Structure formats: structure tokens, C-alpha cells
Amino acid sequence: MVIAVYFCSLIINMIPEFDNTEIAFSYRTTKELKKAQFLFSSMSSPTLTSIGMGLTKWAMAWGLPIKGIIKSTIFNQFCGGETMEEASKTATMLTPYHVGVIMDYGVEGKEGEAEFDKAVPEFVKAIKYAASQKNIPFISLKVTGFGRFSLLEKVHTGSQLAEDEKAEWQRVYNRINTVCKAAFDNNVMVLVDAEETWIQEGVNQLTDAMMEQYNKQKAIVFNTFQMYCHPTLAYLKQSFDTSVAKGYILGAKLVRGAYMEKERRRAAEMGYTSPIQPDKASTDKDYDAAVLFCMQHLDKLALFIGTHNENSCMIAAKYMEDHKIPHNTERVYFSQLYGMSDNISFNLANAGYNVAKYLPYGPVKDVIPYLMRRAQENTSVAGQTGRELSLINKELQRRKSA
Ligand SMILES: Cc1cc2nc3c(=O)[nH]c(=O)nc-3n(C[C@H](O)[C@H](O)[C@H](O)COP(=O)(O)OP(=O)(O)OC[C@H]3O[C@@H](n4cnc5c(N)ncnc54)[C@H](O)[C@@H]3O)c2cc1C
């Protein structure tokens, strides 16, 4: 029945309505929604969240058995599973709703050459799995999963690398290249995530080199542009000009940016001008300008809109509708994180747009940094959590009345 409603509205709706909770949560049972309601209510208290985060760090450091609690709560809400096989079940579950998945091996903070080498086959395995599935068009990676953070910092400053560091940097390049080549061979797209600005130069160098090599016919590799940085809009345009001059298709993944507090704190501590925009309105303005710039150049680039902001998604969706760009063009994808903003993802997919959810997976202890970021960004009642909660409440109420 739910699926029938879904397909009927697929034919009728051209512009999505983000407040249709019946479509948004069609894949969730009432029991699951109640669990999500409890989780978002708990996270809406900054005090509870900060105590919870502190206790989690402490308990993990002391090896206390808290994995079960984390797994059945925040992990289940935001992650696909501990292994690729577990995550693949979540991916399959989304198939009937035309919602795709980005396999995100979410292990963070591992250092050491052995760990970096170990990551490569893990990503190649994810690529091969993605290629065998209908609804997994992308995988994502972080360059810090393949090379030392402090090496990236040094590359960023432009300082001369010592001989052993040059060899180490070459190994980082080789690892990323192995993954991107596997992606190219299997026709799976790769999103290179953006992290802290003080390592971004090295990330850009590597990603540009991969785009130049693998994006001649189609965008296989995407770089991430963080619009909360004031120089990024100009950098996006410059990256586009470079791609045109060198004859490859730019893959542009647009996000606002997830490290704002850390960026501002470091700039204040070290006494340099913060790269972050002066206020939220400036970030929003540049984000939407970047969306429009990319939309206007879709003949030469591919656009990935990574945001939970309804207004930005609506601007993009309307632009496509107004300019008669097919909703399912392979040049445009919308994306939200798994466990968040289903109202945007499922309603866009319902209106025929390409949508893929970021689906992190990995051992519970290794995805903790990711979960901490999700908890932090969900602490404000006025912001994302308030929205998630009100939509969940609305749907629970609707089901009760029905
Ligand atoms: C699919 C996907 C992939 C992502 N990949 C990455 C990635 O690779 N790298 C990364 O850094 N982040 C990534 N993010 C996270 C993203 O950058 C944002 O932190 C998050 O999505 C919230 O922004 P928003 O656009 O969804 O929504 P909104 O709620 O509209 O915006 C919140 C964001 O606005 C900005 N902001 C808030 N207050 C201010 C202020 N006072 N001044 C200036 N700016 C402000 C911040 O970036 C904040 O995160 C990703 C998000 C998604 C959905």
C-alpha cells in the first residue's frame, strides 16, 4: 500500500514538497520512528549531548562495554552497519524508493603506513560491490584515511619535502590512484571529502590530478567545495576554468562545511584571519550562488548537492524544472546523510530527482568521530533537531489518526 502511494505520487509530483512525511518515512516502521524520536529528543539538550560525548570518550578509552548501547541508538540511526555486508542490507532496503546510497567506509583517525595500506583493498571491495548494485552510484573517501595528517599539513604550507617525505607523499598518491582507477574501471563515482582547511591544498592537488586522469568522458572523481569558507566560490570558478582548459569534466560536490568551530578556534589561537564566512547568511548566499553557477555549466561539469538545507535543495530543484533539465540527468545528484533529512531525500526521489544517502559503515569504535559530529550538529532545538523532531512527531501523529 505504502509503495503504491509512493509510485502514484511519483507520477503526479514534479516539484517536491518537503513536508510530506508519509513519503519521507515510508521506509520506517512506527517502532523505528519512536526510537528516532527518543534519540533526537535526547540530542536536543546540549547538556545531555555534551555529557554523553564526554562519557563515551572516557568509556571507550577505558575499554568499558558500551558498544551495545551506542550500536542500538546513535549508531543505528546514522550508520549502515559495522561491515560492508551489513551496510549493503540498508542499501537494498532503500532500493524500492529510488533512493541511492554512497558507501562511506567511515573509519577515521587511523594513522600509520600499515593502516593506510589496509584501507585500499577495503575501498576497492566497496567499489566492486557498488558496481554490482543498481542503487550505489558512489563511494566516498577522506584523504586522511590514506596518508599522515601532518604530512598533508606540510604539503599545504608548500614547504620543501624531505626525500623520505616525498616518497611517503608518492605512496599517498598511489593509494588514492589505485582506488580511483578501480572506480573508473567499474564506473563507480568517487567523492573526495573535504576536511580541515589547513590540509586542503594537498587534498586539492591529489583530487585535481585524479579528475584530470579519470574524468575525460564522465565525472568519476568529485572534489568537495566548502562554502562556509569565503574564498571557496572563487576557487570553484577557478577549478572549473582549469578543468575546461585541461579538457576534463569537473566533479563538484558542494557542502557548507562541518568544522566551523575548530576552524575559528585555530585561527584565533594562531592569530590568522579565519577562513570562515562572517555569518550564516553569507555561507547560504555563496552556497546558493555555487549551485546556480554549476547549474549554468552542466554541459561541462557534474554537480553533487550535499545539504540538509531545504531552501538550497528547492532552488536547485526549481532551476532544473524551470530550465527543463531532466530530473534524472546523470549530471546532478542531491544528497543527505543517512538518518537525517529523509523529508528532503525521499520527496526529491519521489519527484524523480537523483538522490543518494551518505551511508557510513565500520566498527563502532572507529566511527565515533563521525557520530560525535552528528551529535554536535543536532544539539540545537532551533536548528536541525527541531526540524527532524517535528517531522517525526507529525508522521507519528498521522499514523495514529490513520
Ligand atoms: C551528503 C553530505 C556530504 C557532506 N560532506 C562533507 C564534507 O566532505 N566535508 C565537510 O566539511 N562537510 C560535509 N558535510 C557536512 C556539511 O558541510 C554541513 O556541516 C552540514 O550538512 C550542515 O549544513 P547544511 O547545508 O546541511 O545545512 P544548514 O543547517 O543550512 O547549515 C548549517 C551549516 O552552515 C554553516 N554555518 C552555520 N552557522 C554559521 C555561521 N555563523 N557563519 C558561517 N557559516 C555558518 C556551517 O557550515 C553549518 O554546518 C556533508 C553533508 C552532507 C549532507
Side-chain angles (χ1 to χ4, degrees):
M1 171 63 185
V2 170
I3 294 190
V5 168
Y6 182 84
F7 282 113
C8 284
S9 49
L10 188 67
I11 298 160
I12 299 159
N13 281 343
M14 293 311 279
I15 290 279
E17 286 167 19
F18 293 142
D19 56 358
N20 185 329
T21 58
E22 184 175 6
I23 290 174
F25 297 116
S26 44
Y27 78 111
R28 290 277 195 209
T29 63
T30 300
K31 193 174 164 200
E32 286 167 343
L33 276 182
K34 284 189 174 159
K35 265 180 99 171
Q37 184 188 41
F38 174 74
L39 185 72
F40 281 111
S41 306
S42 313
M43 286 192 305
S44 66
S45 155
T47 318
L48 261 184
T49 306
S50 131
I51 293 173
M53 279 168 46
L55 279 177
T56 306
K57 274 188 200 154
W58 180 81
M60 295 302 276
W62 283 85
L64 298 181
I66 55 158
K67 182 179 149 182
I69 303 179
I70 297 177
K71 194 163 179 187
S72 64
T73 54
I74 189 165
F75 181 90
N76 271 355
Q77 178 66 27
F78 296 117
C79 295
E82 288 202 76
T83 58
M84 198 190 77
E85 288 71 22
E86 274 179 34
S88 65
K89 288 188 193 140
T90 311
T92 307
M93 183 259 293
L94 298 175
T95 316
Y97 306 95
H98 297 276
V99 171
V101 155
I102 297 146
M103 290 301 253
D104 176 22
Y105 182 56
V107 172
E108 291 183 29
K110 296 254 177 194
E111 286 272 326
E113 292 291 290
E115 290 293 346
F116 299 144
D117 283 339
K118 241 167 69 184
V120 176
E122 193 63 48
F123 279 86
V124 172
K125 185 173 139 194
I127 287 167
K128 291 195 170 146
Y129 178 72
S132 73
Q133 300 299 304
K134 259 200 187 136
N135 73 325
I136 314 185
F138 296 94
I139 63 129
S140 71
L141 64 83
K142 285 189 170 48
V143 174
T144 49
F146 296 89
R148 197 161 47 91
F149 192 93
S150 43
L151 179 68
L152 280 156
E153 267 184 303
K154 188 159 182 188
V155 171
H156 180 84
T157 60
S159 327
Q160 182 71 27
L161 298 183
E163 282 310 308
D164 57 337
E165 288 171 329
K166 278 188 195 158
E168 192 184 347
W169 184 231
Q170 183 62 44
R171 288 196 295 277
V172 182
Y173 177 95
N174 293 346
R175 290 180 193 116
I176 304 274
N177 188 42
T178 304
V179 172
C180 291
K181 178 164 188 323
F184 176 80
D185 291 343
N186 288 280
N187 194 23
V188 171
M189 295 176 276
V190 177
L191 302 164
V192 180
D193 287 353
E195 304 176 65
E196 291 84 348
T197 52
W198 57 98
I199 60 163
Q200 197 56 37
E201 185 48 43
V203 174
N204 290 342
Q205 273 179 29
L206 284 171
T207 313
D208 288 351
M210 296 300 135
M211 287 197 289
E212 190 173 348
Q213 198 162 344
Y214 298 113
N215 286 13
K216 296 279 187 217
Q217 307 295 330
K218 155 183 183 177
I220 289 285
V221 181
F222 286 64
N223 201 6
T224 301
F225 297 87
Q226 293 167 312
M227 306 313 301
Y228 68 2
C229 291
H230 47 78
T232 305
L233 185 57
Y235 180 65
L236 170 69
K237 292 178 180 174
Q238 186 193 319
S239 297
F240 174 69
D241 291 344
T242 306
S243 70
V244 173
K246 292 193 171 176
Y248 64 86
I249 298 159
L250 178 71
K253 170 186 158 193
L254 306 181
V255 300
R256 281 181 169 73
Y259 305 85
M260 187 173 72
E261 267 97 44
K262 206 172 170 186
E263 291 283 350
R264 285 192 168 143
R265 202 169 46 240
R266 183 177 192 265
E269 279 166 12
M270 296 180 66
Y272 61 87
T273 309
S274 168
I276 303 296
Q277 305 266 14
D279 47 38
K280 172 82 163 62
S282 312
T283 301
D284 291 347
K285 185 166 161 271
D286 274 13
Y287 192 93
D288 295 340
V291 167
L292 289 180
F293 174 81
C294 291
M295 286 286 180
Q296 284 154 7
H297 295 92
L298 278 184
D299 54 330
K300 293 198 181 78
L301 59 73
L303 168 60
F304 180 98
I305 304 166
T307 181
H308 300 139
N309 186 296
E310 288 180 14
N311 194 44
S312 297
C313 290
M314 192 51 87
I315 288 173
K318 278 221 171 99
Y319 185 96
M320 290 173 73
E321 180 68 17
D322 293 348
H323 291 80
K324 307 212 172 353
I325 298 169
H327 291 189
N328 65 350
T329 167
E330 65 161 15
R331 289 282 168 105
V332 182
Y333 265 85
F334 291 83
S335 180
Q336 290 73 43
L337 305 181
Y338 181 72
M340 289 172 74
S341 296
D342 286 340
N343 64 311
I344 300 181
S345 313
F346 284 73
N347 282 302
L348 277 170
N350 182 54
Y353 294 89
N354 289 327
V355 175
K357 298 287 259 190
Y358 247 68
L359 187 67
Y361 64 94
V364 172
K365 64 176 176 20
D366 296 332
V367 298
I368 293 286
Y370 177 84
L371 294 176
M372 298 269 177
R373 286 203 297 281
R374 295 299 73 80
Q376 254 165 357
E377 81 187 17
N378 280 296
T379 49
S380 146
V381 191
Q384 187 66 28
T385 297
R387 184 80 181 130
E388 298 286 350
L389 257 182
S390 73
L391 291 163
I392 292 171
N393 291 340
K394 182 178 165 196
E395 175 59 8
L396 285 172
Q397 193 56 48
R398 191 197 64 79
R399 288 187 189 183
K400 211 168 149 192
S401 329

